[in-house]
Structure formats: C-alpha cells, structure tokens
Amino acid sequence: MTDFPLRLLRSSVHVTAAGLLLIAVLGALREGRGWPAAGGVLLGLLYAAGPALQGRAVAGQVWLGLVTGWWAVLAVAAPPFVWVAFPLLFAYLHVLPLWGAMFGVAVLTSAAIVTAAWHAGELTTALLVGPGVAAVVVTLLALACKALRAAGQS
C-alpha cells in the first residue's frame, strides 16, 4: 500500500532535479556561459547514474561525492545551478547513514545559501530562510518515507 506513494515521491524528486537542471542549463546558455551549460548536462548524466549505484554503499557514496563536487563547481560558475542542491538533499538522506545525512544536508544547505548570497552580492532574509526551510521539509519528508518503507516491510 505504501509502495505507490513512495515511488511517486521518488519520481517527483527526479523530475524536480531534471527540471532545475534544465532551467540552469538554459539560463547558462542564455547568458552565453557555454562551459557551465555543458557541465550541467554532465551533472544530469551523473545524477541519472545514481539510482543504479545507490543500493551499493561505497559506490553510492562515491557517486554522491562526485555529484556534490560537480554541483559546487557549477553553483559557483552560474547562479541558476545553486538551486539544484535541493533535490540532492534527498540523495544525501537516501545514500548516507542518518548522522552523515544530517551533516551533509547542513553543509549542502549552507553552501547553497553562501553561494546564492555571493552571486546576489548580499545575504537577504529570503536567501537565508528559504533554503533552511526547504532543507527541513526535505529532511522530514525523507525521514517519513523511510518510516513508511520500514512499516510496509514489517
């Protein structure tokens, strides 16, 4: 019974990631930034490899490190890539043990806030509160999904 909503949420996360990446790539192209646009396509390919690797502990963690590192490069290079961090939060909560996921979510959210503020030239309340609230909501959703999955298996 809980399988369909969990699959729907997982699909929604992937569609959101693809949509944010597409917006970022198109934004980079519109600004004449060719290499970040090409880098966004590479990030999309790396991200797409995730579901095949997430079931394997070491491979999933290496994948997450590569995706995060490449995201950081792109987020510094072009502002639209900053927001691609938020679908990655689900990956942290799926791939890593809880303590590592919580640390990763905090670091990734902080990096998104700092990078967005750097691009904007200032730290605004919206840039501080928005990503923080998003990280809390993503974390609660991911933890609820884990609880539903565990309840469905018992």
Side-chain angles (χ1 to χ4, degrees), residues 47-113:
Y47 181 86
L53 301 174
Q54 287 179 3
R56 299 182 237 151
V58 174
Q61 291 171 3
V62 168
W63 167 81
L64 189 57
L66 288 171
V67 169
T68 301
W70 193 237
W71 165 82
V73 168
L74 292 172
V76 169
F81 286 102
V82 170
W83 309 116
V84 176
F86 295 99
L88 294 180
L89 297 176
F90 279 101
Y92 275 76
L93 291 154
H94 185 71
V95 170
L96 300 174
L98 186 59
W99 68 268
M102 293 293 101
F103 179 76
V105 164
V107 169
L108 190 61
T109 303
S110 298
I113 291 168

Side-chain angles (χ1 to χ4, degrees), residues 83 86 109 113 123-136:
W83 309 116
F86 295 99
T109 303
I113 291 168
L123 178 61
T124 64
T125 302
L127 287 179
L128 185 62
V129 174
V133 169
V136 169

